[in-house]
Amino acid sequence: MIRPYTIDCLHIPGVVHGFFDRSGGVSLPPADSLNLAHGEDGEEVVSENRRRVLAFFGGDMDLVTLRQVHGNRVICVGAGDGRRDGLADSHAPEADALCTDIPGKLLMILTADCQAILFADPVKKVVAAAHAGWRGSVQNIAAATVETMVNRYACRPEDIRAGIGPSLGPCCAEFVNWKKELPSAFASFRSGGDLFDFWAITEKQLNDAGLKPDHISSLNACTRCDMRWFSYRREKNTGRLGAVIGLL
Ligand SMILES: [Zn+2]
C-alpha cells in the first residue's frame, strides 16, 4: 500500500498532494520499489507504479510530467495535457515546473536528492510543482514559479502556500566546488565545511518572492540519511521519488 507524506500548510479543501517514499511499488532493486521515472527501469513496472499513484487519488486524474532539465522554465498545463494510463508522456515538455488552475490534473515532479516544491493558492484555486536541484536553486525556480502563478493566474503571493519535499539536507548537501558553482549570496547558508542548507535557501527565496513565513514548510527529510527515500548521492543507480499536487 502506497502512502504519501503530506505538509500541513498544503491541506486545503479541493487540493490533493503528497510526497511518496520508495515503498509500495513493483520495481526491483536498485530502483525498489516505487520508482516513478520512465527510463532505465522497465516500462511496464514504472507504468504500474504510476497507476498506483493515480489510483491512490481515485484514478480520475491525468498525471502530468516534465522532462526535467535543471532550468527555470515553468509550463502552464492545459486541458489536454497528461495521461491516466501510467505510460510515459512522449509529449512532456522540457521544463522544471508545472502550474495549473484546471481540476483533475495531477502535477508530478521526480527527484532523488533534488527538491520537489509543491505550491497551492486556496483563493484562486491554483496549484504548481517545481523541481529544484542546486542548479534550479541558483536560477531561483521557486521565484519563477511564484511569478507564473501571479502573472498568469492573478494569484497574490501572500495567499500562496509552499511545501518542500525530501531532498539533501544541511547534513549531506556537500559542494566541494561551491566557490565556482554557487553564488556568493549562498555562502551565508553554509552548514559547516562545504555543506549547505538548501532548505533554508528555498525558504528565503520563497519569502523574498512574497510568501508569508507561516505559509512555507518543509518535511525536513534528508534523502541521503534515510533509506525510505531514493538518493542519487547514496546509491548512484537508483529510482526516482514522486511528489504530486492537483485540484479536485
Ligand atoms: Zn543527510
Side-chain angles (χ1 to χ4, degrees), residues 6 12 18 24 30 54 96 105 114 120-121 125 149 158 173 186 201 243 246:
T6 61
I12 296 163
L54 285 163
D96 288 275
K105 302 297 178 185
C114 293
D121 176 349
K125 297 289 185 208
M149 295 176 77
E158 58 266 39
F186 284 14
I201 288 170

Side-chain angles (χ1 to χ4, degrees), residues 15-33:
V15 175
V16 293
H17 82 284
F19 300 89
F20 288 92
D21 67 17
R22 63 190 292 171
S23 66
V26 295
S27 296
L28 298 173
D32 52 308
S33 60

Side-chain angles (χ1 to χ4, degrees), residues 14-227:
V15 175
V16 293
H17 82 284
F19 300 89
F20 288 92
D21 67 17
R22 63 190 292 171
S23 66
V26 295
S27 296
L28 298 173
D32 52 308
S33 60
L34 193 69
N35 173 32
L36 293 165
H38 283 288
E40 292 176 27
D41 204 2
E43 173 90 3
E44 191 44 49
V45 294
V46 175
S47 299
E48 171 59 23
N49 290 341
R50 288 185 171 197
R51 284 192 291 270
R52 290 185 183 195
V53 168
L54 285 163
F56 181 88
F57 294 106
D60 199 26
M61 300 182 88
D62 301 312
L63 194 62
V64 188
T65 56
L66 293 167
R67 281 179 288 158
Q68 299 167 186
V69 290
H70 296 281
N72 67 348
R73 183 173 177 223
V74 185
I75 297 289
C76 294
V77 172
D81 293 334
R83 306 184 62 121
R84 58 183 61 197
D85 56 9
L87 295 173
D89 183 358
S90 57
H91 299 292
E94 286 191 354
D96 288 275
L98 291 159
C99 195
T100 196
D101 63 352
I102 302 173
K105 302 297 178 185
L106 195 61
L107 315 181
M108 182 164 75
I109 294 297
L110 299 166
T111 66
D113 289 341
C114 293
Q115 290 177 17
I117 313 168
L118 302 180
F119 301 79
D121 176 349
V123 178
K124 292 289 184 182
K125 297 289 185 208
V126 173
V127 292
H131 163 246
W134 68 268
R135 292 181 186 84
S137 294
V138 170
Q139 295 170 79
N140 203 346
I141 187 151
T145 307
V146 171
E147 278 172 28
T148 300
M149 295 176 77
V150 170
N151 295 334
R152 174 71 185 265
Y153 300 101
C155 298
R156 298 189 312 165
E158 58 266 39
D159 293 330
I160 297 172
R161 274 71 165 165
I164 303 165
S167 48
L168 285 180
C171 39
C172 293
E174 186 177 30
F175 289 83
V176 292
N177 296 319
W178 63 271
K179 284 178 183 168
K180 282 185 195 165
E181 292 172 343
L182 303 179
S184 56
F186 284 14
S188 60
F189 294 95
R190 283 169 75 191
S191 47
D194 296 330
L195 296 166
F196 285 77
D197 186 347
F198 275 84
W199 297 337
I201 288 170
T202 298
E203 287 173 13
K204 172 76 163 59
Q205 290 176 333
L206 291 167
N207 202 208
D208 288 348
L211 272 67
K212 294 179 176 178
D214 61 342
H215 288 169
I216 305 167
S217 190
S218 171
L219 278 182
N220 293 327
C222 175
T223 41
R224 186 167 176 269
C225 281
D226 190 327
M227 289 295 293

